[in-house]
Amino acid sequence: MAIFVLIPGMCHGGWCFDELAEQLRSRGHRAYPLTLTGIAERGHLLTGGVNLDTHIQDVTGVLAAENLTEAILVGHSYGGMVITGAADRAPERVRDLVYLDAVVPGDGDSCWSLVTDQERRWYVDVVDSGYATRPLPFFDPRATAHPIASLLQPLRLTGDLAHVRRREYVYAAEWEGESPFTSIYERLRRDPAWTTHAVASAHNLMRDAPQDLLEILLDVA
Protein backbone atom coordinates (compact mmCIF):
# COMPACT_ATOMS: atom_id res chain seq x y z
CA MET A 1 0.00 0.00 0.00
CA ALA A 2 1.26 3.44 -0.94
CA ILE A 3 0.15 6.86 0.31
CA PHE A 4 -0.54 9.56 -2.26
CA VAL A 5 -1.08 13.23 -1.40
CA LEU A 6 -2.46 15.03 -4.46
CA ILE A 7 -1.98 18.78 -4.91
CA PRO A 8 -3.89 20.66 -7.63
CA GLY A 9 -2.71 23.48 -9.83
CA MET A 10 -3.89 27.06 -9.87
CA CYS A 11 -7.56 27.80 -9.23
CA HIS A 12 -8.50 24.12 -8.79
CA GLY A 13 -9.59 22.13 -5.76
CA GLY A 14 -8.90 18.59 -4.71
CA TRP A 15 -11.95 17.57 -6.75
CA CYS A 16 -9.80 17.60 -9.91
CA PHE A 17 -8.24 14.36 -8.60
CA ASP A 18 -11.52 12.61 -7.75
CA GLU A 19 -11.35 9.97 -10.49
CA LEU A 20 -7.64 9.34 -10.00
CA ALA A 21 -8.02 9.05 -6.23
CA GLU A 22 -10.85 6.55 -6.65
CA GLN A 23 -8.72 4.43 -9.01
CA LEU A 24 -5.79 4.46 -6.59
CA ARG A 25 -8.00 3.48 -3.65
CA SER A 26 -9.58 0.66 -5.64
CA ARG A 27 -6.08 -0.81 -5.94
CA GLY A 28 -5.47 -0.72 -2.21
CA HIS A 29 -3.62 2.59 -1.91
CA ARG A 30 -4.47 5.63 0.21
CA ALA A 31 -5.13 8.91 -1.60
CA TYR A 32 -5.54 12.38 -0.12
CA PRO A 33 -6.64 15.00 -2.67
CA LEU A 34 -6.14 18.42 -1.04
CA THR A 35 -7.70 21.81 -1.68
CA LEU A 36 -5.32 24.62 -0.80
CA THR A 37 -6.28 27.61 1.36
CA GLY A 38 -8.19 30.35 -0.44
CA ILE A 39 -9.26 28.23 -3.43
CA ALA A 40 -12.45 26.41 -4.48
CA GLU A 41 -14.43 25.23 -1.43
CA ARG A 42 -11.82 26.95 0.75
CA GLY A 43 -12.22 30.22 -1.15
CA HIS A 44 -13.80 31.88 1.88
CA LEU A 45 -10.33 31.77 3.49
CA LEU A 46 -8.78 33.98 0.82
CA THR A 47 -6.94 37.03 2.17
CA GLY A 48 -3.97 39.02 0.95
CA GLY A 49 -1.75 37.02 3.32
CA VAL A 50 -2.39 33.61 1.74
CA ASN A 51 0.94 32.76 0.14
CA LEU A 52 3.18 29.86 -0.83
CA ASP A 53 4.11 29.21 2.80
CA THR A 54 0.39 28.87 3.59
CA HIS A 55 -0.02 26.22 0.92
CA ILE A 56 3.07 24.31 2.00
CA GLN A 57 1.68 24.31 5.54
CA ASP A 58 -1.62 22.93 4.20
CA VAL A 59 0.31 19.87 3.06
CA THR A 60 2.64 19.44 6.01
CA GLY A 61 -0.34 19.88 8.32
CA VAL A 62 -2.16 16.95 6.70
CA LEU A 63 0.99 14.81 6.79
CA ALA A 64 1.29 15.45 10.52
CA ALA A 65 -2.41 15.24 11.43
CA GLU A 66 -2.88 11.95 9.55
CA ASN A 67 0.53 10.70 10.77
CA LEU A 68 1.57 9.91 7.21
CA THR A 69 5.07 8.67 6.43
CA GLU A 70 6.60 7.42 3.18
CA ALA A 71 4.15 9.68 1.34
CA ILE A 72 4.23 10.21 -2.41
CA LEU A 73 3.53 13.88 -3.11
CA VAL A 74 1.93 14.56 -6.50
CA GLY A 75 1.72 18.16 -7.72
CA HIS A 76 0.03 19.46 -10.86
CA SER A 77 1.31 22.70 -12.45
CA TYR A 78 1.62 25.28 -9.61
CA GLY A 79 1.44 22.29 -7.24
CA GLY A 80 5.09 21.62 -8.07
CA MET A 81 6.01 24.61 -5.91
CA VAL A 82 4.02 23.22 -3.03
CA ILE A 83 5.26 19.64 -3.06
CA THR A 84 8.87 20.79 -3.27
CA GLY A 85 8.44 22.98 -0.22
CA ALA A 86 6.55 20.30 1.70
CA ALA A 87 9.25 17.70 1.01
CA ASP A 88 11.83 20.14 2.37
CA ARG A 89 9.82 21.01 5.49
CA ALA A 90 8.77 17.45 6.37
CA PRO A 91 11.58 15.20 5.06
CA GLU A 92 10.77 12.42 7.51
CA ARG A 93 7.29 12.03 5.98
CA VAL A 94 7.96 12.22 2.22
CA ARG A 95 9.30 9.39 0.05
CA ASP A 96 8.75 10.39 -3.59
CA LEU A 97 7.86 13.46 -5.66
CA VAL A 98 5.79 13.37 -8.85
CA TYR A 99 5.42 16.54 -10.91
CA LEU A 100 2.50 16.63 -13.35
CA ASP A 101 3.33 19.17 -16.09
CA ALA A 102 4.53 21.36 -13.27
CA VAL A 103 7.14 23.88 -12.23
CA VAL A 104 10.20 22.42 -10.50
CA PRO A 105 11.68 25.13 -8.28
CA GLY A 106 15.01 25.52 -6.59
CA ASP A 107 15.84 27.69 -3.62
CA GLY A 108 14.82 31.28 -4.29
CA ASP A 109 12.54 30.48 -7.24
CA SER A 110 8.96 31.66 -7.44
CA CYS A 111 6.22 30.54 -9.78
CA TRP A 112 6.48 34.00 -11.36
CA SER A 113 10.21 33.59 -12.06
CA LEU A 114 9.79 30.14 -13.65
CA VAL A 115 7.03 30.80 -16.19
CA THR A 116 6.79 32.64 -19.50
CA ASP A 117 5.65 36.21 -20.11
CA GLN A 118 2.34 34.85 -21.36
CA GLU A 119 1.73 33.16 -18.03
CA ARG A 120 2.71 36.31 -16.16
CA ARG A 121 0.15 38.34 -18.11
CA TRP A 122 -2.47 35.93 -16.84
CA TYR A 123 -1.22 36.20 -13.25
CA VAL A 124 -1.71 39.97 -13.15
CA ASP A 125 -5.35 39.72 -14.28
CA VAL A 126 -6.57 39.96 -10.70
CA VAL A 127 -9.99 40.15 -9.07
CA ASP A 128 -11.25 43.42 -7.61
CA SER A 129 -9.66 42.83 -4.21
CA GLY A 130 -6.24 42.50 -5.84
CA TYR A 131 -5.62 39.34 -3.81
CA ALA A 132 -6.03 36.71 -6.50
CA THR A 133 -5.65 35.78 -10.18
CA ARG A 134 -8.85 35.11 -12.10
CA PRO A 135 -9.42 31.58 -13.42
CA LEU A 136 -9.15 31.27 -17.19
CA PRO A 137 -12.46 31.06 -19.08
CA PHE A 138 -11.99 27.44 -20.17
CA PHE A 139 -11.30 26.14 -16.64
CA ASP A 140 -13.71 23.83 -14.84
CA PRO A 141 -16.77 25.81 -13.66
CA ARG A 142 -15.77 25.01 -10.07
CA ALA A 143 -12.44 26.84 -10.45
CA THR A 144 -11.97 30.03 -8.44
CA ALA A 145 -9.44 32.84 -8.17
CA HIS A 146 -5.94 31.87 -7.01
CA PRO A 147 -4.00 33.77 -4.29
CA ILE A 148 -1.46 35.88 -6.18
CA ALA A 149 0.97 36.07 -3.25
CA SER A 150 1.54 32.32 -3.65
CA LEU A 151 2.76 32.95 -7.21
CA LEU A 152 5.08 35.80 -6.26
CA GLN A 153 6.67 34.49 -3.06
CA PRO A 154 10.11 32.86 -3.52
CA LEU A 155 10.51 29.34 -2.18
CA ARG A 156 13.12 28.94 0.54
CA LEU A 157 14.65 25.48 0.86
CA THR A 158 16.72 24.35 3.81
CA GLY A 159 18.26 21.24 2.23
CA ASP A 160 18.91 19.44 -1.06
CA LEU A 161 15.98 16.97 -0.92
CA ALA A 162 18.50 14.11 -0.91
CA HIS A 163 16.04 12.02 1.10
CA VAL A 164 13.61 11.81 -1.85
CA ARG A 165 13.76 8.32 -3.33
CA ARG A 166 12.18 8.95 -6.74
CA ARG A 167 11.63 12.13 -8.71
CA GLU A 168 9.22 11.75 -11.61
CA TYR A 169 8.18 14.31 -14.20
CA VAL A 170 5.12 13.83 -16.39
CA TYR A 171 5.13 16.15 -19.39
CA ALA A 172 1.94 16.96 -21.31
CA ALA A 173 3.11 16.88 -24.93
CA GLU A 174 -0.04 18.15 -26.66
CA TRP A 175 -0.58 21.72 -25.51
CA GLU A 176 -2.41 24.05 -27.84
CA GLY A 177 0.47 26.37 -28.64
CA GLU A 178 3.75 26.54 -26.75
CA SER A 179 3.99 24.77 -23.41
CA PRO A 180 5.64 26.74 -20.60
CA PHE A 181 7.00 23.44 -19.27
CA THR A 182 8.97 22.27 -22.31
CA SER A 183 12.30 23.66 -21.11
CA ILE A 184 11.81 22.00 -17.71
CA TYR A 185 11.08 18.64 -19.32
CA GLU A 186 14.05 18.90 -21.69
CA ARG A 187 16.38 19.68 -18.79
CA LEU A 188 15.12 16.89 -16.55
CA ARG A 189 15.10 14.18 -19.22
CA ARG A 190 18.90 14.56 -19.40
CA ASP A 191 19.27 14.33 -15.62
CA PRO A 192 19.89 10.77 -14.35
CA ALA A 193 18.32 11.65 -11.01
CA TRP A 194 14.93 11.99 -12.71
CA THR A 195 12.51 9.68 -14.51
CA THR A 196 10.53 11.54 -17.17
CA HIS A 197 7.42 10.68 -19.16
CA ALA A 198 5.95 12.44 -22.20
CA VAL A 199 2.21 11.82 -22.42
CA ALA A 200 -0.07 12.61 -25.38
CA SER A 201 -2.24 15.02 -23.42
CA ALA A 202 -3.11 18.64 -22.91
CA HIS A 203 -2.16 20.29 -19.61
CA ASN A 204 -5.00 18.75 -17.59
CA LEU A 205 -3.50 15.27 -17.42
CA MET A 206 -6.02 14.08 -14.85
CA ARG A 207 -8.88 14.71 -17.27
CA ASP A 208 -7.22 14.02 -20.63
CA ALA A 209 -4.86 11.10 -19.91
CA PRO A 210 -6.22 9.40 -16.77
CA GLN A 211 -5.08 5.87 -17.67
CA ASP A 212 -1.55 6.92 -18.57
CA LEU A 213 -1.30 8.89 -15.35
CA LEU A 214 -2.67 6.04 -13.26
CA GLU A 215 -0.11 3.61 -14.68
CA ILE A 216 2.74 6.00 -13.91
CA LEU A 217 1.62 6.45 -10.32
CA LEU A 218 1.12 2.73 -9.82
CA ASP A 219 4.68 2.18 -11.01
CA VAL A 220 5.93 4.74 -8.47
CA ALA A 221 3.93 2.98 -5.74
Side-chain angles (χ1 to χ4, degrees):
M1 181 193 71
I3 299 168
F4 292 91
V5 180
L6 308 167
I7 312 302
M10 284 179 60
C11 305
H12 287 65
W15 39 261
C16 71
F17 289 109
D18 281 350
E19 181 180 344
L20 178 62
E22 183 177 347
Q23 291 291 332
L24 291 169
R25 290 167 183 150
S26 72
R27 287 160 173 80
H29 303 298
R30 295 165 68 183
Y32 296 81
L34 304 188
T35 294
L36 301 171
T37 298
I39 306 165
E41 71 271 20
R42 303 186 70 201
H44 61 289
L45 300 175
L46 175 63
T47 68
V50 175
N51 59 18
L52 178 58
D53 283 340
T54 311
H55 290 165
I56 293 169
Q57 189 173 3
D58 287 338
V59 178
T60 59
V62 168
L63 293 174
E66 299 288 342
N67 196 25
L68 304 180
T69 58
E70 299 286 297
I72 302 167
L73 304 188
V74 181
H76 180 238
S77 198
Y78 161 77
M81 299 291 301
V82 181
I83 66 171
T84 305
D88 179 72
R89 310 274 174 90
E92 73 285 358
R93 296 187 179 276
V94 177
R95 189 185 83 183
D96 305 314
L97 296 175
V98 183
Y99 296 79
L100 307 181
D101 215 34
V103 289
V104 180
D107 182 49
D109 287 332
S110 66
C111 208
W112 176 274
S113 73
L114 293 174
V115 299
T116 63
D117 286 342
Q118 180 177 352
E119 297 290 303
R120 295 185 190 111
R121 285 193 289 273
W122 167 35
Y123 290 0
V124 297
D125 179 21
V126 296
V127 296
D128 290 347
S129 68
Y131 294 160
T133 299
R134 300 178 196 276
L136 291 170
F138 54 83
F139 280 3
D140 188 290
R142 295 169 290 181
T144 63
H146 185 97
I148 192 169
S150 71
L151 308 175
L152 302 177
Q153 183 184 18
L155 175 65
R156 297 302 176 190
L157 300 177
T158 61
D160 60 3
L161 301 181
H163 64 281
V164 174
R165 188 194 67 162
R166 289 180 66 166
R167 304 182 195 207
E168 306 267 332
Y169 195 88
V170 186
Y171 173 63
E174 294 189 352
W175 271 66
E176 289 187 14
E178 182 182 359
S179 167
F181 304 105
T182 301
S183 61
I184 298 172
Y185 168 67
E186 292 296 337
R187 172 172 57 87
L188 297 180
R189 68 195 292 257
R190 296 189 293 268
D191 187 335
W194 287 78
T195 301
T196 59
H197 313 264
V199 176
S201 173
H203 182 52
N204 192 338
L205 291 151
M206 296 82 72
R207 180 192 63 202
D208 298 335
Q211 191 58 39
D212 290 327
L213 185 52
L214 176 63
E215 290 174 4
I216 290 168
L217 293 183
L218 291 176
D219 180 67
V220 176

